[in-house]
Amino acid sequence: MPETSNVDYSTKIPNNVGLLDDQRVLKALEQWHPGYIDWWMTMGPEGFQTSDVYLRTAVSIDPKGWAKFDYVKMPEYRWGILLAPRQDDRQVNFGTHKGEKAWQEVPGEYRAMLRRLVVIQGDTEPASVEQQRFLGKTAPSLYDMRNLFQVNVEEGRHLWAMVYLLQKYFGKDGREEAEGLLQRRSGDADKPRMLGAFNEATPDWLSFFMFTFFTDRDGKMQLESLAQSGFDPLSRTCRFMLTEEAHHMFVGETGVGRTIEATCASMKAAGIEDPYDINAVRKLGVIDLPTLQKKANLHFSLSLDLFGSEISSNAATYYNTGLKGRFQETRIDDDHQLSNAVYPVSKLVDGQIKSIDEPALTAMNMRLRDDYVVDCNKGVERWNKVIEKTGVKFRLKLPHVGFHRHIGEFQNVKASPDGQLLTDAQWAAQRDQWLPSKADGDFIASLMQPCWERGKFASWISSPKIGIDNKPGDFEYVKIHQG
Ligand SMILES: [Fe+2]
Ligand SMILES: [Fe+2]
């Protein structure tokens, strides 16, 4: 079967890349499959592998109607290889190869670099499943539980997407890397996942929502820039992944939004005007807004670290070689080579934070991070609208990019959320006002009681406006059989 927009389900591995005609890759993937299932059973959602979950599965790559909804046991989910349609006239759109035909094979001289990009992206996908594996047990509703599992199976599929590239285009090294992706473990001291934020714990549902809002959005930005790649199979893979990623960010944004809604509604009902009257708010069984701010501070700063150093010669090379572009590269009005262009970078200069023009090529990470911050801010403003509507006087705000950083320009300094540089003692004295404290974590944990009755929601979160696939409020999104 040749490449098509419909997905071939006749093979064990659903695909639209003509796997039946590509026996070498089909065999390689079939050999990898048992190890993947083994990983899913041991590291995937714990306790729900025999439950029936109302999930969407991709049946086509057509943007309208690619998904089919049905009850599925997660280990039987049809993880497949789905690439956006090929455009025959597609070109390399930036860097020194600009104007050449897009590559259908890996250019030999860029092989190692390209493999690294694919492996780094691939490593994040199973990592988040590992981080979220215990959350089903404390789900605040069946609706939320279903959304968690949808995100999880799709992150699994994203792993498949990267493994397909490794198996098809990178020979023996590719096979070894595909194995490695199943062997590293989030948070493991000996064989951790490759990036920091993917080794942090996701201990509760608020963390999960913040993670899908902030960290999956980093994923979106990385996929957007890889979707620009001159290596066409990578571009097409990432374009399809982005359509799934949008749902992950929806889960995060609405999850936090509904948490805010429950908090403000309870405050109003109880006549609490002061959002900083934390004890009174917490007694209502909802999460106070200052604690939501601290969680946002934490997840935003951890996600900023994922963009790497502001100034990076690797990032310049990725761009020059046509492997990784800028966010919405083809919509930017410039020469797409940037040999003499500059870009403003916030840096530490003589103990002060200043904006300094740097060569645009080496500032690629900074630029992508700036685009990310703009995108985050839009979501934060939508949260503020939720608060405003209730009349509660409080605004959420993203902290300064120098706050709580472990990578890049600000890794060796302490800064407040509004960007004031601090001594270690000043930081230590105020840290718990800016980042979740042990007590905050304990309080949130105390609210994490399962709420699995149809149509019911835990006290700390409001119900969604509309159901998944337009289902009614009391729809049984997960039929729980605990195994
Ligand atoms: Fe993903
Ligand atoms: Fe995601």
Side-chain angles (χ1 to χ4, degrees), residues 121 124-125 128 151 154-159 216 219 223 241 244-245 248:
Q121 180 61 42
T124 65
E125 314 289 356
S128 64
V151 170
E154 285 177 353
E155 300 303 5
R157 204 202 66 73
H158 293 176
L159 172 60
D216 281 70
L223 291 174
M241 290 164 76
E244 294 167 314
E245 208 57 53
H248 308 180

Side-chain angles (χ1 to χ4, degrees), residues 202-249:
T202 308
D204 55 67
W205 276 78
L206 183 56
S207 305
F208 169 65
F209 292 138
M210 290 289 181
F211 185 97
T212 41
F213 181 88
F214 286 110
T215 307
D216 281 70
R217 192 177 308 275
D218 158 73
K220 167 187 159 179
M221 300 309 285
Q222 301 301 334
L223 291 174
E224 285 275 4
S225 55
L226 293 173
Q228 302 290 339
S229 184
F231 179 50
D232 202 43
L234 176 60
S235 163
R236 292 170 54 207
T237 303
C238 291
R239 274 182 272 152
F240 189 75
M241 290 164 76
L242 279 164
T243 63
E244 294 167 314
E245 208 57 53
H247 178 65
H248 308 180
M249 277 168 292

Side-chain angles (χ1 to χ4, degrees), residues 263 267 272 275 277-292 294 436-444 446-447 459:
T263 301
M267 286 171 64
I272 299 171
D277 193 351
I278 287 171
N279 288 332
V281 174
R282 288 186 176 183
K283 276 196 193 117
L284 306 172
V286 292
I287 302 169
D288 52 285
L289 299 174
T291 296
L292 281 161
K294 291 189 209 176
S437 64
K438 168 96 177 42
D440 296 328
D442 290 346
F443 169 69
I444 294 169
S446 76
L447 292 182
S459 63

Side-chain angles (χ1 to χ4, degrees), residues 12-26:
K12 194 165 178 187
I13 300 152
N15 71 95
N16 72 332
V17 293
L19 266 190
L20 265 187
D21 296 332
D22 197 345
Q23 287 294 318
R24 181 189 66 81
V25 177
L26 180 60

Side-chain angles (χ1 to χ4, degrees), residues 170-334:
F170 294 91
K172 183 166 173 288
D173 317 351
R175 275 200 302 285
E176 281 164 15
E177 295 285 12
E179 278 310 310
L181 287 169
L182 292 177
Q183 276 152 21
R184 287 183 289 276
R185 290 286 181 269
S186 175
D188 190 292
D190 300 324
K191 44 183 175 65
R193 292 292 173 184
M194 295 167 87
L195 301 175
F198 292 89
N199 288 303
E200 299 281 332
T202 308
D204 55 67
W205 276 78
L206 183 56
S207 305
F208 169 65
F209 292 138
M210 290 289 181
F211 185 97
T212 41
F213 181 88
F214 286 110
T215 307
D216 281 70
R217 192 177 308 275
D218 158 73
K220 167 187 159 179
M221 300 309 285
Q222 301 301 334
L223 291 174
E224 285 275 4
S225 55
L226 293 173
Q228 302 290 339
S229 184
F231 179 50
D232 202 43
L234 176 60
S235 163
R236 292 170 54 207
T237 303
C238 291
R239 274 182 272 152
F240 189 75
M241 290 164 76
L242 279 164
T243 63
E244 294 167 314
E245 208 57 53
H247 178 65
H248 308 180
M249 277 168 292
F250 161 86
V251 169
E253 184 178 324
T254 55
V256 174
R258 289 161 50 217
T259 306
I260 291 171
E261 219 168 56
T263 301
C264 293
S266 300
M267 286 171 64
K268 283 277 143 185
I272 299 171
E273 292 289 331
D274 179 7
Y276 294 93
D277 193 351
I278 287 171
N279 288 332
V281 174
R282 288 186 176 183
K283 276 196 193 117
L284 306 172
V286 292
I287 302 169
D288 52 285
L289 299 174
T291 296
L292 281 161
Q293 176 68 64
K294 291 189 209 176
K295 291 290 262 193
N297 289 350
L298 174 66
H299 287 267
F300 177 66
S301 59
L302 290 173
S303 300
L304 289 179
D305 281 342
L306 293 170
F307 289 84
S309 292
E310 289 83 346
I311 303 297
S312 159
S313 58
N314 277 343
T317 309
Y318 290 148
Y319 187 83
N320 266 330
T321 52
L323 299 182
K324 185 179 177 186
R326 290 171 292 176
F327 179 57
Q328 301 187 330
E329 179 71 44
T330 49
R331 293 197 213 164
I332 302 171
D333 185 18
D334 61 18

